[in-house]
Amino acid sequence: MFEKLLVANRGEIAIRVLRAAREMGIGTVAVHSEADRLAPHVRFADEAVEIGPAASAESYLRIDRILEAARRTGADAVHPGYGFLAERADFARAVEEAGLIFVGPAPETIEAMGDKTAARQRMQAAGVPIVPGIVDPAENALAALAAAEEIGFPVLLKAAAGGGGKGMRVVETADALERAFEAARREAVAAFGDGSVYVERYLARPRHIEIQILGDAHGNVVHLGERECSIQRRHQKLVEEAPSAVLDEAGRAAMGIAAVRAAEAVDYRGAGTVEFLWENGEFWFLEMNTRLQVEHPVTELVTGLDLVAWQLRVAAGEPLEFGQADVRMTGHAIECRITAEDPDGGFLPSTGRIEHLRLPEGPGVRWDGAMEVGLDVSLHYDPLLGKLIVHAPDRAAAIARMARALREFELVGPDHAAAFHRRVMANDAFAAGDLSIRFVDEHPALTESAPAESTVARAGATAAVLLEEARRERRTAPRLSSAGGVELGPWRSLGHPAGTSAP
Ligand code: MV4
């Protein structure tokens, strides 16, 4: 095992990785921007190095400064987290060329999966089902039209350099194809500097289900089951769960085998995710993500495996010491992403100081976050404040547990997504497992607060802030009453603290 790990990230994922390293007796180095001097992740590491101004392009995306921090601290491995440099083949290569271990797959693997048409070709060759369509970019609109006629309308035009939905165009009829093709091409050039566009059959109401895989440097690959990630908005996942309500043992095995084949086809090392679209019992490869994902905890809770610990072990060259038959799944896990976004205001990012915070506790509850009272949430970074994750014996119990945990959750400061999640947990279609990637659009009430709800929320929030201020005052200036005792302070007038809990 290596001796000192540098975590090239911030926020909850930096803390997650630093925690695993500590438990394994590995030394830790955090990096941070000027704005993040007092950020929580800095305190979870043995050492910290400042790498530049607040803007990510000047700090967390600066390969040179991160490698310099590793050199100065004597780190021998680098974990990229997710986002930032996690899927940059040039970063993985630079880390290796500096003589350090990159905690992730080989640069060639990252590259192979970055080009979507190349990925489709490799998956097709490996026997992994891909969405029907072409596996080379269309030369021009006429070629795209010929492909579309063959596939059958509606079709989806996609950018080969894409991912995340940029440059995608649904085309319903032959008449509309040429214009859509030129638009998709322009968008792809603007977004990726590469106008290659290909054509797929359009799936109208699929689910997004992905398989977690883990590979070592000795050719062993296992899958750790699926995550259902259909509840999303504009390609931002909001709720994830494991297992999916639509996969039985046979379905899980089939998708798992396809994912392992996909991983083997690119000599996958480390933790990765193979994404599929699922519709009416059929599934097709969509993309492969060559990183640890935000939603990895739901897999950890149902498998009992520490994915970050395994990432570190296989990066150090240790073999997986278990096979597919040893992977067992128990119970049901759900994750809600608590983002600093206003769910009743189009999910616009929100900023401000965290004034009051109370995190859920109790059986089966996990919080992976990077939040504390006094922290300033800015627009510089991802709006993810933390993830609330629960584990229970079955799906109904997990929903009830998440609803309970969300009622305990109190955050006053920036607007945040907790109210949205409370509504999802109370939603009948969610309870029935009737999900698709259109779930949020199909249930507009999830993103509109009921009038009573906002009044109660405001009252609760105001009470919580007053209580917080009163507590601070008590801690700093206890006043003696005339009888010689300590006065309880102004919070007394607010009634019992339990009455202040946000809805
Ligand atoms: C699709 C699709 C429907 N049919 N492909 C969106 C992002 C990109 N990675 C792939 N995406 C999609 N590809 C076909 N042939 C619908 C989507 C899609 C989607 C996929 C997964 C998760 C969320 C999504 C939201 C909108 C559209």
Side-chain angles (χ1 to χ4, degrees):
M1 182 53 68
F2 36 80
E3 279 169 10
K4 200 187 265 193
L5 177 71
L6 181 146
V7 180
N9 215 300
R10 67 182 302 284
E12 70 89 17
I13 194 59
I15 292 174
R16 170 70 189 88
V17 175
L18 290 164
R19 281 179 165 147
R22 279 236 164 117
E23 289 179 16
M24 297 169 79
I26 301 167
T28 52
V29 182
V31 295
H32 63 88
S33 67
E34 283 167 22
D36 274 346
R37 266 177 208 157
L38 300 175
H41 79 276
V42 172
R43 290 199 313 277
F44 281 77
D46 301 336
E47 300 167 74
V49 181
E50 191 167 304
I51 52 168
S56 302
E58 294 298 319
S59 49
Y60 297 103
L61 291 171
R62 284 290 295 261
I63 295 174
D64 55 340
R65 292 191 184 153
I66 289 166
L67 291 180
E68 172 61 13
R71 196 194 57 74
R72 266 177 35 206
T73 54
D76 48 4
V78 176
H79 193 302
Y82 54 68
F84 294 129
L85 299 168
E87 289 177 283
R88 289 264 304 266
D90 56 339
F91 180 56
R93 200 164 275 130
V95 169
E96 290 182 354
E97 279 167 5
L100 310 174
I101 291 172
F102 178 74
V103 182
E108 296 74 32
T109 304
I110 301 175
E111 244 154 25
M113 289 297 119
D115 178 329
K116 306 303 162 191
T117 44
R120 276 165 66 76
Q121 288 161 26
R122 290 184 82 137
M123 292 306 127
Q124 192 173 48
V128 177
I130 58 172
V131 183
I134 56 177
V135 296
D136 286 302
E139 292 280 345
N140 49 42
L142 202 65
L145 179 61
E149 301 277 10
E150 170 111 12
I151 296 161
F153 287 93
V155 296
L156 189 57
L157 306 181
K158 290 186 174 181
K166 267 192 207 129
M168 284 193 348
R169 278 281 188 298
V170 181
V171 187
E172 305 278 352
T173 62
D175 291 346
L177 196 130
E178 186 174 351
R179 274 176 66 96
F181 181 84
E182 298 306 340
R185 162 157 278 179
R186 275 195 304 275
E187 213 172 302
V189 169
F192 314 110
D194 173 358
S196 306
V197 169
Y198 66 104
V199 191
E200 279 182 9
R201 191 175 116 206
Y202 175 62
L203 304 169
R205 202 174 171 271
R207 288 176 178 245
H208 177 190
I209 303 178
E210 60 189 29
I211 299 271
Q212 177 70 50
I213 52 137
L214 196 54
D216 66 18
H218 310 278
N220 304 303
V221 179
V222 296
H223 77 83
L224 305 179
E226 80 282 10
R227 293 184 287 260
E228 162 78 64
C229 305
S230 294
I231 301 191
Q232 56 86 39
R233 194 186 158 276
R234 307 218 172 141
H235 307 288
Q236 156 96 284
K237 293 169 187 164
L238 296 165
V239 179
E240 302 101 341
E241 57 181 309
S244 165
V246 292
L247 290 193
D248 56 13
E249 274 308 316
R252 176 167 307 112
M255 203 181 266
I257 287 166
V260 168
R261 273 199 198 126
E264 286 172 346
V266 290
D267 293 322
Y268 204 85
R269 180 190 69 215
T273 298
V274 185
E275 296 187 344
F276 295 95
L277 291 177
W278 183 100
E279 204 170 63
N280 303 321
E282 274 190 278
F283 64 85
W284 303 271
F285 170 86
L286 193 57
E287 285 175 22
M288 180 159 178
N289 300 320
T290 56
R291 61 171 190 276
L292 182 73
Q293 296 205 185
V294 176
E295 60 271 27
H296 75 276
V298 295
T299 299
E300 296 190 316
L301 292 180
V302 296
T303 61
L305 294 166
D306 184 327
L307 277 168
V308 178
W310 277 108
Q311 279 191 300
L312 298 178
R313 288 189 200 109
V314 300
E318 293 179 25
L320 289 177
E321 55 192 38
F322 57 91
Q324 193 62 55
D326 302 313
V327 178
R328 294 256 149 61
M329 277 156 245
T330 315
H332 199 96
I334 303 178
E335 171 177 285
C336 290
R337 297 190 187 192
I338 309 293
T339 56
E341 294 173 315
D342 179 6
D344 307 324
F347 277 84
L348 276 184
S350 180
T351 59
R353 183 178 183 276
I354 294 173
E355 300 288 354
H356 166 82
L357 179 66
R358 183 174 291 164
L359 296 173
E361 296 172 1
V365 175
R366 167 170 166 182
W367 171 256
D368 276 23
M371 249 205 298
E372 57 202 13
V373 169
L375 195 78
D376 226 328
V377 177
S378 74
L379 290 176
H380 286 295
Y381 310 112
D382 187 280
L384 185 66
L385 297 169
K387 307 174 314 203
L388 184 55
I389 314 122
V390 300
H391 188 217
D394 57 45
R395 188 166 188 270
I399 294 171
R401 181 157 276 170
M402 180 61 86
R404 183 271 289 174
L406 284 163
R407 288 194 58 171
E408 291 179 19
F409 182 84
E410 297 174 13
L411 166 56
V412 180
D415 293 320
H416 58 85
F420 168 84
H421 292 299
R422 290 188 189 105
R423 290 174 217 142
V424 173
M425 294 306 129
N427 181 280
D428 291 338
F430 180 72
D434 181 13
L435 310 179
S436 82
I437 60 173
R438 306 175 65 111
F439 185 84
V440 179
D441 302 325
E442 288 176 355
H443 299 278
L446 296 171
T447 48
E448 296 158 5
S449 72
E453 199 182 351
S454 60
T455 306
V456 174
R458 245 195 313 279
T462 306
V465 170
L466 290 171
L467 180 66
E468 196 71 49
E469 281 174 2
R471 283 206 187 104
R472 262 203 298 275
E473 200 169 303
R474 265 180 84 213
R475 274 199 299 272
T476 53
R479 286 153 295 165
L480 294 180
S481 73
S482 53
V486 177
E487 271 182 19
L488 286 172
W491 64 272
R492 257 281 145 150
S493 62
L494 295 169
H496 191 272
T500 62
S501 77

